[in-house]
Amino acid sequence: MGQIRVLPQALVNRIAAGECVERPASVVKELVENALDAGAGRIDIVVEGGGRDLIRVSDDGRGMDADDLRLCVQPHATSKIADDDDLFRIHTLGFRGEALPSIGSVARLRITTRRQADRSNRPAPAEPGSPEFQSADEDGAAQCVSAADAHTLTVEGGSVGALQPAGAPPGTVVEVRDLFFNVPARRRFLRTPQTEMSNITEQLARIALPHPEISFSLVHGGRVVYRLPAAAEQRKRLSDFYGPELASVLMPVARAVEGLRIDGLVAPPAECRGSSKWEYLFVNGRYVRDKFVSHAVKEAYRSLIQPGQYPVSFLFVTIDPGAVDVNVHPMKMEVRWRDSNFIHGQVLAAIRELFLRTNLDRRLRTPESDDYRERVRSAMVDYFTQARPAAGSAAAVPPASGTLHRSAGPPLDLTGELATHPGDASRVAHRPQQSEPPAVSPPAAHLMRLPAESAPFAPPPSHAERFAGGAPDEAPPAANEPYPTARSDAARRAAAELVGTAAPGPASRQTAIQIHRSYLVVETADGLMIIDQHALHERVLYEQLRQRIAQRPLESQRLLIPDVVRVAPDRIAALEPHAATLARLGIEVQPAGPNTVMLSAFPTFLERLDRVGFVRGLLDALAEHGARPETDSLVHHLLDMMACKAAVKAGDELTSAEIAALLSSRELAERSSNCPHGRPTTLHLTLRDLERQFKRH
């Protein structure tokens, strides 16, 4: 006799229950999705014991007649698909016909339903818990409420009872008691009622967010957890779930193209969280997880958030059902796109376009603590009384101790030179208001100019070339303008070669001051902003490098005597897979032995860096990214390294012209609100906050 046998139907249902009934939250999901497919306008959920003891889902949908009620608890019985073609054009949340028989096989199930005769004239549903809306008493006897064409059916451990008449309002009430009562092992693995209830709450959020037009209520242990009235938009529903603080900062995303529509709300980078659970994706009203969309969202936020942070996004994708397969996961939590690259590109473009047209600078929020307010007030009084320049005079106020610091050495010049300014006692750049932008002084003019296209990273012109005829439309420096000398570090050289031509922007025409040789304080129309000079310069350099490398490899110079660097063997193994990427960056490194590599070419604009230290850091990055990393991710990481090494540092003093030029570059750089690492470059403090600290309100 053979060993293969056909399993009993009851066992088949329990096996199926293992796939679609994982925990009480799974039961809630299946029952609420059925209610939505039935056209419900209101869904009420009652839970006891975290779902172990009772789950009751009541809706005012179409309901069922006696024949449909008998069939709905049979395996693979459904009204939602009829043939193979329907399986590839799913318009409903459920379609397999497995949920009710699976639930009935591992719990005590009761279904009470009444067909909706005319939805346009139906009375308003009664409140849950009211005498008019009691589905059953403790003995299971139905409470007569309205017409006698309602019916009830019970299923216990897979055994289907007889159909009985009942009294009920139009719609359906499904009761699930004693979940897993006949599968003790599964019941023992359930978590505490609090944990299971948190899973039910999350499941409700996944269903209620894409359906704001439906009202929901959730009651646990007699206590109302959520009462969600129908809303006109997702933002209101999000506010009901997660509070107005989050909902108020979310930015709308909208994109429609080629049969695809993307709507949603995303948080600015400053509001990102420490968990990926805040990435929500809904496809045709169904919550799913998708690696392509998730990657697109992370790519859009790349370099805007720090490592370990995750975006907050709620995306609602509407697409032709024939272009997406939802029947690829037992829990219907994943989908397969007909063209996944197209979806990825459209999501990425939608969020990037939003960020490009939005000011993402962070705003300072001042606490209401009296002690903190007093300290802020004192600090701001000291700052504005001691550090602010007099009107029309950039050098009228001497540096205040602890506020403006000037080193004994010459100031750092972003133009590519070192300059000596004997009379410049404050580090202040003041631009008077005028109808046209003021002329840029020769050092600043050089900062704002890129080298010729044929030599994008050529060394800056010499003094004679710049001031004695090399640039006909540039006047020689005035008597009190110093002649710059040669650069002494890579930061100064990179600034001259990478900051593009631009007229001074709005920020550069306003009062700006450097404090602690690290931060720039700039007056704005509605307050002030504080800029991290290193972070901003790093972003400017990164964007310039990114644009250049998209057109051609970075210019490099071959070393007359190659550098030999000792490294670990595993670092040498990382070189070969990335040779093409390194060539684009102007870096030529080859193995020269079992534990040495030879550096033969290096980017021109980084020539003054410690090449050996840079190569070691480069090889560490290659080894960390693995043998076959995503090319874009690796290039981003390496360009970030270059920009960070070349940018001005905290502690570098800037001249007035350098400050003005850096602020002008900020107006031209994409994503200037964050450095490539994701750290903020700019903080805003509004005039209203200042006035509140000084008790003007």
Side-chain angles (χ1 to χ4, degrees):
M1 182 177 178
Q3 297 181 353
I4 297 177
R5 65 183 63 84
V6 178
L7 297 177
Q9 188 59 53
L11 181 56
V12 170
N13 289 342
R14 289 179 189 174
I15 293 173
E19 295 181 345
C20 67
V21 185
E22 179 184 4
R23 60 193 333 138
S26 307
V27 176
V28 172
K29 172 183 180 291
E30 297 292 345
L31 299 184
V32 174
E33 286 183 349
N34 280 346
L36 290 172
D37 288 341
R42 174 175 179 164
I43 301 174
D44 300 299
I45 307 165
V46 177
V47 178
E48 299 288 348
R52 293 167 173 256
D53 303 330
L54 170 68
I55 297 173
R56 179 190 297 133
V57 176
S58 310
D59 69 69
D60 62 348
R62 287 187 292 271
M64 296 178 284
D65 59 21
D67 293 335
D68 286 343
L69 180 56
R70 289 191 186 93
L71 287 174
C72 74
V73 294
Q74 300 301 316
H76 307 296
T78 180
S79 62
K80 300 166 186 176
I81 60 174
D83 52 35
D84 289 349
D85 293 338
D86 291 341
L87 193 59
F88 297 99
R89 298 189 63 85
I90 302 295
H91 292 82
T92 55
L93 296 175
F95 54 87
R96 293 174 179 160
E98 292 180 330
L100 291 177
S102 297
I103 294 170
S105 68
V106 293
R108 296 183 173 94
L109 172 68
R110 174 189 292 271
I111 306 173
T112 303
T113 182
R114 178 187 170 192
R115 187 95 180 150
Q116 185 70 252
D118 184 0
R119 291 184 59 85
S120 62
N121 296 320
R122 76 177 189 268
E127 287 287 337
S130 65
E132 293 79 14
F133 195 84
Q134 291 292 330
S135 62
D137 59 16
E138 291 300 318
D139 298 326
Q143 303 297 310
C144 183
V145 175
S146 58
D149 55 354
H151 297 83
T152 186
L153 183 68
T154 59
V155 182
E156 183 170 332
S159 175
V160 181
L163 192 71
Q164 297 180 354
T172 302
V173 179
V174 181
E175 269 186 13
V176 179
R177 293 184 179 272
D178 302 326
L179 184 62
F180 299 133
F181 78 97
N182 56 347
V183 191
R186 294 288 301 275
R187 191 171 176 88
R188 282 196 300 269
F189 276 93
L190 293 179
R191 304 296 184 182
T192 64
Q194 293 78 10
T195 301
E196 296 298 344
M197 190 60 204
S198 69
N199 291 323
I200 290 174
T201 301
E202 173 64 17
Q203 199 61 249
L204 176 62
R206 295 176 180 181
I207 296 173
L209 289 178
H211 299 96
E213 73 283 0
I214 309 298
S215 64
F216 293 86
S217 71
L218 174 62
V219 177
H220 181 225
R223 182 178 63 88
V224 176
V225 180
Y226 283 111
R227 191 174 299 282
L228 307 172
E233 58 174 5
Q234 273 93 6
R235 189 185 297 273
K236 178 61 171 65
R237 182 57 54 85
L238 283 166
S239 178
D240 292 337
F241 266 105
Y242 304 118
E245 294 81 8
L246 175 61
S248 63
V249 301
L250 296 177
M251 303 178 295
V253 173
R255 186 176 181 86
V257 58
E258 300 182 34
L260 171 72
R261 179 164 186 83
I262 301 171
D263 296 288
L265 295 162
V266 299
E271 300 294 333
C272 287
R273 305 297 175 89
S275 169
S276 61
K277 75 173 287 292
W278 292 93
E279 295 177 30
Y280 285 82
L281 170 64
F282 305 92
V283 177
N284 292 342
R286 182 195 310 275
Y287 171 82
V288 298
R289 296 188 297 257
D290 182 73
K291 62 182 181 181
F292 294 101
V293 173
S294 179
H295 182 273
V297 172
K298 290 182 174 65
E299 189 72 8
Y301 278 84
R302 189 178 68 182
S303 81
L304 294 177
I305 58 178
Q306 300 182 58
Q309 287 190 318
Y310 297 88
V312 176
S313 63
F314 302 88
L315 298 180
F316 305 89
V317 175
T318 305
I319 190 172
D320 178 6
V324 58
D325 186 0
V326 300
N327 189 30
V328 296
H329 189 272
M331 299 290 292
K332 295 172 282 192
M333 294 287 289
E334 297 176 4
V335 296
R336 181 179 293 121
W337 307 99
R338 178 182 295 171
D339 188 347
S340 56
N341 291 331
F342 171 71
I343 300 297
H344 179 281
Q346 294 305 315
V347 171
L348 178 59
I351 301 178
R352 275 187 173 171
E353 288 173 3
L354 169 67
F355 287 167
L356 288 176
R357 64 175 184 265
T358 305
N359 181 1
L360 299 177
D361 291 342
R362 301 190 181 206
R363 295 196 175 272
L364 287 172
R365 296 183 178 92
T366 55
E368 293 302 318
S369 163
D370 289 338
D371 176 64
Y372 186 87
R373 283 206 303 264
E374 181 59 27
R375 286 188 283 115
V376 171
R377 186 194 67 80
S378 300
M380 298 307 292
V381 168
D382 292 343
Y383 173 79
F384 282 105
T385 56
Q386 299 178 26
R388 181 161 180 162
S393 174
V397 181
S401 176
T403 304
L404 299 178
H405 178 74
R406 178 178 176 82
S407 66
L412 175 66
D413 179 9
L414 290 182
T415 66
E417 336 287 322
L418 281 176
T420 306
H421 293 261
D424 191 5
S426 68
R427 311 308 311 152
V428 178
H430 180 70
R431 298 293 184 108
Q433 298 296 325
Q434 50 189 354
S435 57
E436 296 182 0
V440 181
S441 63
H446 174 60
L447 171 63
M448 307 308 293
R449 187 180 64 249
L450 274 173
E453 275 299 308
S454 59
F457 292 100
S462 67
H463 308 152
E465 291 173 328
R466 290 178 58 209
F467 298 126
D473 42 344
E474 282 188 20
N480 61 347
E481 285 286 344
Y483 280 87
T485 58
R487 270 291 204 196
S488 66
D489 62 28
R492 296 161 185 148
R493 182 177 179 84
E497 296 174 345
L498 293 179
V499 178
T501 303
S508 65
R509 293 197 296 270
Q510 298 170 335
T511 302
I513 191 170
Q514 184 187 36
I515 60 175
H516 298 294
R517 295 186 296 175
S518 299
Y519 302 100
L520 308 179
V521 180
V522 184
E523 179 185 351
T524 64
D526 64 343
L528 61 87
M529 59 183 178
I530 305 171
I531 297 173
D532 183 331
Q533 65 188 36
H534 170 72
L536 177 57
H537 195 207
E538 185 180 352
R539 167 57 73 178
V540 170
L541 297 182
Y542 173 83
E543 293 297 334
Q544 293 285 342
L545 284 169
R546 186 174 61 84
Q547 293 172 14
R548 286 297 179 85
I549 202 173
Q551 301 170 3
R552 68 181 77 84
L554 299 184
E555 182 174 305
S556 64
Q557 181 171 347
R558 298 197 66 81
L559 304 180
L560 186 61
I561 301 177
D563 291 332
V564 177
V565 185
R566 293 182 63 86
V567 295
D570 62 326
R571 294 328 192 224
I572 298 176
L575 273 178
E576 184 177 355
H578 308 298
T581 300
L582 295 179
R584 291 174 60 195
L585 300 175
I587 301 172
E588 187 176 327
V589 185
Q590 303 94 8
N595 59 354
T596 58
V597 296
M598 182 172 63
L599 175 65
S600 304
F602 201 63
T604 306
F605 82 102
L606 293 177
E607 63 182 2
R608 295 184 185 274
L609 282 185
D610 173 17
R611 294 192 297 266
V612 172
F614 182 86
V615 168
R616 287 198 176 106
L618 174 70
L619 293 178
D620 288 342
L622 295 180
E624 180 182 341
H625 277 72
R628 293 185 176 275
E630 298 177 12
T631 302
D632 289 345
S633 175
L634 177 60
V635 170
H636 161 75
H637 185 82
L638 298 181
L639 292 183
D640 185 11
M641 279 182 57
M642 292 180 170
C644 185
K645 297 288 187 184
V648 297
K649 304 297 188 292
D652 290 339
E653 282 197 274
L654 306 183
T655 68
S656 300
E658 293 161 358
I659 292 173
L662 186 57
L663 295 179
S664 295
S665 301
R666 175 181 179 274
E667 303 299 322
L668 301 176
E670 292 183 6
R671 305 185 180 193
S672 62
S673 61
N674 295 77
C675 79
H677 297 98
R679 293 192 302 108
T681 66
T682 307
L683 298 177
H684 276 278
L685 184 62
T686 66
L687 188 60
R688 180 182 179 86
D689 286 333
L690 282 174
E691 290 173 339
R692 185 165 58 246
Q693 299 305 319
F694 286 102
K695 302 187 184 300
R696 288 179 173 269
H697 285 297

